[in-house]
Amino acid sequence: MTGAGGVESFLFAGRLAISQPVDGYRFSVDSLVLARFLDRFPAGRAIDLGTGCGVVPLVLALRHPSLEIWGVELQEKLAALARENVLRNQLAHRVHIHCLDMTTITLRLTGGPVDLAAANPPFYPAAQGRVSPHPQRALARHEVAVTLTGVVAAGARMLRTGGVFAAIYPMGRKAEVLSELGRAGVAPKIVQAVIPKEGRPARFFLVAGEKGGPSGLEELPPFVIHTRAGAYTPQAAALFRR
Protein backbone atom coordinates (compact mmCIF):
# COMPACT_ATOMS: atom_id res chain seq x y z
CA MET A 1 0.00 0.00 0.00
CA THR A 2 1.23 3.50 -0.81
CA GLY A 3 0.34 6.42 1.44
CA ALA A 4 1.27 10.07 1.82
CA GLY A 5 4.51 9.21 3.60
CA GLY A 6 5.55 6.43 1.24
CA VAL A 7 4.95 2.70 0.94
CA GLU A 8 2.96 1.40 3.91
CA SER A 9 3.81 -1.90 5.62
CA PHE A 10 1.80 -3.40 8.47
CA LEU A 11 3.22 -6.01 10.85
CA PHE A 12 1.74 -8.05 13.69
CA ALA A 13 -1.83 -7.94 12.37
CA GLY A 14 -1.67 -4.18 11.97
CA ARG A 15 -0.23 -3.47 15.42
CA LEU A 16 2.82 -1.86 13.80
CA ALA A 17 2.57 0.53 10.83
CA ILE A 18 5.76 1.45 8.97
CA SER A 19 6.22 3.89 6.09
CA GLN A 20 9.09 3.34 3.65
CA PRO A 21 10.41 5.37 0.71
CA VAL A 22 8.48 5.01 -2.53
CA ASP A 23 11.73 5.21 -4.48
CA GLY A 24 14.66 4.23 -2.32
CA TYR A 25 15.87 1.70 0.21
CA ARG A 26 13.22 -0.48 1.85
CA PHE A 27 13.66 -3.07 4.55
CA SER A 28 13.29 -6.74 3.66
CA VAL A 29 12.83 -9.98 5.55
CA ASP A 30 16.46 -9.93 6.74
CA SER A 31 15.55 -7.05 9.11
CA LEU A 32 12.77 -9.15 10.63
CA VAL A 33 15.06 -12.19 10.89
CA LEU A 34 17.58 -10.04 12.74
CA ALA A 35 14.90 -8.64 15.06
CA ARG A 36 13.74 -12.15 15.97
CA PHE A 37 17.35 -13.20 16.61
CA LEU A 38 17.74 -10.26 18.99
CA ASP A 39 14.87 -11.56 21.13
CA ARG A 40 17.23 -14.13 22.65
CA PHE A 41 19.35 -11.42 24.30
CA PRO A 42 17.53 -9.74 27.22
CA ALA A 43 18.29 -6.02 27.29
CA GLY A 44 17.07 -2.88 28.98
CA ARG A 45 18.94 -0.51 26.65
CA ALA A 46 19.91 -1.09 23.03
CA ILE A 47 21.15 0.69 19.92
CA ASP A 48 20.48 -0.06 16.25
CA LEU A 49 23.26 1.01 13.91
CA GLY A 50 22.04 2.04 10.47
CA THR A 51 18.37 1.92 11.42
CA GLY A 52 16.88 2.93 8.05
CA CYS A 53 13.16 3.60 8.53
CA GLY A 54 13.37 2.29 12.10
CA VAL A 55 11.91 -1.17 11.60
CA VAL A 56 14.22 -3.06 13.99
CA PRO A 57 13.81 -0.63 16.93
CA LEU A 58 10.05 -0.52 16.37
CA VAL A 59 9.69 -4.31 16.29
CA LEU A 60 11.83 -4.72 19.40
CA ALA A 61 10.03 -1.95 21.29
CA LEU A 62 6.66 -3.49 20.50
CA ARG A 63 7.73 -6.95 21.62
CA HIS A 64 9.69 -5.80 24.70
CA PRO A 65 7.74 -3.17 26.66
CA SER A 66 10.60 -2.34 29.04
CA LEU A 67 13.23 -1.80 26.30
CA GLU A 68 14.65 1.65 25.51
CA ILE A 69 16.40 1.79 22.15
CA TRP A 70 18.30 4.31 20.06
CA GLY A 71 18.39 4.19 16.26
CA VAL A 72 21.26 5.81 14.36
CA GLU A 73 20.87 6.59 10.66
CA LEU A 74 23.26 8.53 8.41
CA GLN A 75 20.74 9.44 5.71
CA GLU A 76 18.53 12.40 6.63
CA LYS A 77 15.46 11.31 4.69
CA LEU A 78 15.48 7.83 6.19
CA ALA A 79 16.08 9.22 9.69
CA ALA A 80 13.14 11.61 9.26
CA LEU A 81 10.95 8.73 8.10
CA ALA A 82 12.06 6.66 11.09
CA ARG A 83 11.06 9.49 13.45
CA GLU A 84 7.65 9.69 11.77
CA ASN A 85 7.21 5.94 12.20
CA VAL A 86 8.12 6.16 15.88
CA LEU A 87 5.57 8.93 16.46
CA ARG A 88 2.90 7.15 14.44
CA ASN A 89 3.28 4.03 16.58
CA GLN A 90 3.33 6.05 19.82
CA LEU A 91 6.75 4.80 20.87
CA ALA A 92 8.67 8.09 21.16
CA HIS A 93 9.06 7.61 24.92
CA ARG A 94 11.25 4.54 24.30
CA VAL A 95 12.60 4.79 20.73
CA HIS A 96 15.01 7.64 19.93
CA ILE A 97 16.15 8.27 16.34
CA HIS A 98 19.28 10.29 15.54
CA CYS A 99 20.67 11.30 12.15
CA LEU A 100 24.34 10.59 12.77
CA ASP A 101 27.37 8.86 11.30
CA MET A 102 27.74 5.72 13.42
CA THR A 103 31.54 6.00 13.28
CA THR A 104 31.34 9.23 15.33
CA ILE A 105 28.90 8.23 18.07
CA THR A 106 29.99 8.04 21.70
CA LEU A 107 28.38 7.08 25.00
CA ARG A 108 27.11 10.65 25.31
CA LEU A 109 24.36 9.70 22.86
CA THR A 110 22.85 7.09 25.15
CA GLY A 111 24.03 8.48 28.49
CA GLY A 112 26.13 5.38 29.13
CA PRO A 113 26.79 1.93 27.71
CA VAL A 114 23.99 -0.24 26.34
CA ASP A 115 23.26 -3.95 26.75
CA LEU A 116 22.72 -4.69 23.07
CA ALA A 117 24.08 -3.23 19.82
CA ALA A 118 22.46 -4.41 16.58
CA ALA A 119 23.26 -3.85 12.93
CA ASN A 120 21.73 -4.76 9.59
CA PRO A 121 24.62 -3.01 7.85
CA PRO A 122 25.76 -2.57 4.26
CA PHE A 123 26.41 -6.13 3.13
CA TYR A 124 29.04 -5.64 0.43
CA PRO A 125 32.42 -3.90 0.09
CA ALA A 126 32.25 -0.80 -2.09
CA ALA A 127 34.29 -2.46 -4.86
CA GLN A 128 32.21 -5.66 -4.97
CA GLY A 129 29.44 -6.06 -7.52
CA ARG A 130 27.22 -3.39 -9.00
CA VAL A 131 26.61 -0.38 -6.78
CA SER A 132 23.09 1.00 -7.17
CA PRO A 133 22.86 4.33 -8.98
CA HIS A 134 20.27 5.35 -6.38
CA PRO A 135 22.31 7.01 -3.56
CA GLN A 136 20.00 5.81 -0.79
CA ARG A 137 20.18 2.18 -1.90
CA ALA A 138 23.91 2.40 -2.54
CA LEU A 139 24.64 3.62 1.00
CA ALA A 140 22.37 0.97 2.51
CA ARG A 141 23.79 -2.02 0.62
CA HIS A 142 27.44 -1.20 -0.13
CA GLU A 143 30.19 0.01 2.21
CA VAL A 144 30.29 3.46 0.70
CA ALA A 145 30.02 5.36 4.01
CA VAL A 146 30.97 2.73 6.61
CA THR A 147 32.97 -0.50 6.47
CA LEU A 148 32.61 -3.73 8.43
CA THR A 149 35.41 -2.49 10.69
CA GLY A 150 33.52 0.74 11.38
CA VAL A 151 30.25 -1.06 12.17
CA VAL A 152 31.88 -3.46 14.61
CA ALA A 153 33.93 -0.69 16.24
CA ALA A 154 30.81 1.44 16.74
CA GLY A 155 28.94 -1.44 18.34
CA ALA A 156 31.82 -2.39 20.61
CA ARG A 157 32.28 1.24 21.69
CA MET A 158 28.66 1.56 22.78
CA LEU A 159 28.41 -1.73 24.70
CA ARG A 160 28.93 -2.40 28.37
CA THR A 161 31.32 -5.22 29.24
CA GLY A 162 29.29 -8.38 28.81
CA GLY A 163 26.95 -6.66 26.36
CA VAL A 164 26.04 -8.28 23.04
CA PHE A 165 26.75 -7.16 19.48
CA ALA A 166 24.52 -8.85 16.90
CA ALA A 167 24.31 -8.48 13.14
CA ILE A 168 23.37 -10.16 9.87
CA TYR A 169 25.85 -10.51 6.99
CA PRO A 170 26.28 -12.52 3.76
CA MET A 171 27.69 -16.02 4.27
CA GLY A 172 30.71 -15.17 2.14
CA ARG A 173 31.92 -12.73 4.82
CA LYS A 174 31.61 -15.11 7.78
CA ALA A 175 35.33 -15.56 8.46
CA GLU A 176 35.94 -11.82 7.99
CA VAL A 177 33.15 -10.88 10.42
CA LEU A 178 34.28 -13.32 13.11
CA SER A 179 37.85 -12.08 12.81
CA GLU A 180 36.76 -8.43 13.02
CA LEU A 181 34.71 -9.10 16.14
CA GLY A 182 37.70 -10.70 17.83
CA ARG A 183 39.92 -7.72 16.98
CA ALA A 184 37.34 -5.38 18.54
CA GLY A 185 37.28 -7.32 21.82
CA VAL A 186 33.91 -8.93 21.10
CA ALA A 187 34.07 -12.71 21.43
CA PRO A 188 31.89 -14.48 18.83
CA LYS A 189 29.36 -16.60 20.71
CA ILE A 190 26.54 -17.61 18.34
CA VAL A 191 26.19 -18.00 14.58
CA GLN A 192 23.13 -19.13 12.63
CA ALA A 193 22.87 -19.63 8.90
CA VAL A 194 19.86 -18.12 7.10
CA ILE A 195 18.56 -20.20 4.18
CA PRO A 196 16.13 -18.49 1.77
CA LYS A 197 14.44 -21.73 0.66
CA GLU A 198 14.61 -25.38 1.65
CA GLY A 199 17.16 -27.24 -0.44
CA ARG A 200 19.19 -24.15 -1.25
CA PRO A 201 22.48 -22.98 0.30
CA ALA A 202 22.57 -20.42 3.08
CA ARG A 203 22.71 -16.85 1.83
CA PHE A 204 23.19 -14.93 5.07
CA PHE A 205 24.18 -15.63 8.64
CA LEU A 206 23.33 -14.13 12.01
CA VAL A 207 26.12 -13.55 14.49
CA ALA A 208 26.27 -12.49 18.13
CA GLY A 209 29.32 -11.72 20.22
CA GLU A 210 29.94 -10.74 23.83
CA LYS A 211 32.11 -7.73 24.64
CA GLY A 212 34.98 -8.90 26.83
CA GLY A 213 33.52 -12.40 26.91
CA PRO A 214 35.33 -15.75 26.85
CA SER A 215 35.89 -17.66 23.64
CA GLY A 216 33.46 -20.37 22.61
CA LEU A 217 31.25 -20.40 19.53
CA GLU A 218 27.87 -22.15 19.22
CA GLU A 219 26.32 -22.83 15.82
CA LEU A 220 22.53 -22.91 15.87
CA PRO A 221 20.42 -24.92 13.40
CA PRO A 222 19.76 -22.92 10.21
CA PHE A 223 16.88 -20.48 9.98
CA VAL A 224 14.90 -21.45 6.86
CA ILE A 225 12.55 -18.81 5.42
CA HIS A 226 10.58 -20.66 2.71
CA THR A 227 9.56 -24.26 2.14
CA ARG A 228 10.24 -25.95 -1.18
CA ALA A 229 6.69 -25.01 -2.19
CA GLY A 230 7.38 -21.34 -1.51
CA ALA A 231 5.33 -20.91 1.68
CA TYR A 232 6.81 -19.49 4.87
CA THR A 233 8.19 -22.10 7.24
CA PRO A 234 6.72 -22.10 10.79
CA GLN A 235 9.79 -20.32 12.15
CA ALA A 236 9.57 -17.66 9.42
CA ALA A 237 5.83 -17.18 9.97
CA ALA A 238 6.66 -16.35 13.58
CA LEU A 239 8.55 -13.28 12.33
CA PHE A 240 5.21 -11.61 11.72
CA ARG A 241 3.71 -12.44 15.11
CA ARG A 242 4.06 -10.11 18.05
Side-chain angles (χ1 to χ4, degrees):
M1 181 184 297
T2 302
V7 176
E8 303 289 320
S9 297
F10 297 92
L11 303 175
F12 312 125
R15 292 293 303 276
L16 195 62
I18 300 176
S19 293
Q20 304 185 73
V22 173
D23 180 24
Y25 173 73
R26 303 180 196 170
F27 75 84
S28 58
V29 71
D30 49 280
S31 294
L32 302 181
V33 171
L34 175 62
R36 179 60 72 178
F37 183 65
L38 298 173
D39 283 344
R40 68 179 58 243
F41 308 111
R45 290 156 48 84
I47 190 166
D48 183 39
L49 304 170
T51 200
C53 65
V55 59
V56 170
L58 289 168
V59 169
L60 291 179
L62 186 66
R63 286 210 291 249
H64 303 277
S66 63
L67 178 68
E68 184 174 17
I69 184 166
W70 287 259
V72 175
E73 172 55 49
L74 176 65
Q75 303 191 63
E76 291 183 8
K77 289 184 178 179
L78 283 176
L81 196 54
R83 291 192 191 100
E84 292 175 12
N85 286 329
V86 169
L87 290 171
R88 179 179 184 183
N89 289 282
Q90 301 180 19
L91 287 167
H93 58 299
R94 292 192 291 116
V95 180
H96 319 290
I97 304 297
H98 297 270
C99 185
L100 293 169
D101 181 341
M102 73 174 75
T103 65
T104 69
I105 60 174
T106 69
L107 295 179
R108 291 181 62 185
L109 177 68
T110 53
V114 299
D115 307 303
L116 176 65
N120 184 0
F123 281 164
Y124 309 107
Q128 180 180 324
R130 176 182 175 272
V131 178
S132 173
H134 193 292
Q136 196 176 87
R137 294 175 187 158
L139 285 170
R141 285 302 180 189
H142 278 81
E143 294 179 341
V144 176
V146 64
T147 63
L148 166 59
T149 300
V151 173
V152 172
R157 186 166 61 250
M158 300 302 291
L159 284 172
R160 63 170 173 81
T161 300
V164 171
F165 173 86
I168 184 168
Y169 268 100
M171 279 298 295
R173 304 192 75 182
K174 184 177 178 180
E176 183 185 2
V177 171
L178 296 181
S179 177
E180 200 63 55
L181 287 173
R183 278 196 290 270
V186 178
K189 303 298 288 185
I190 298 174
V191 294
Q192 183 178 30
V194 179
I195 297 175
K197 192 172 184 178
E198 287 178 339
R200 295 184 181 177
R203 185 177 178 189
F204 304 110
F205 76 101
L206 296 154
V207 62
E210 180 183 351
K211 182 176 178 177
S215 60
L217 184 64
E218 176 186 6
E219 187 155 352
L220 300 179
F223 188 102
V224 182
I225 297 174
H226 292 101
T227 67
R228 291 178 187 273
Y232 282 121
T233 64
Q235 62 183 160
L239 297 174
F240 305 96
R241 293 197 294 267
R242 185 175 176 187

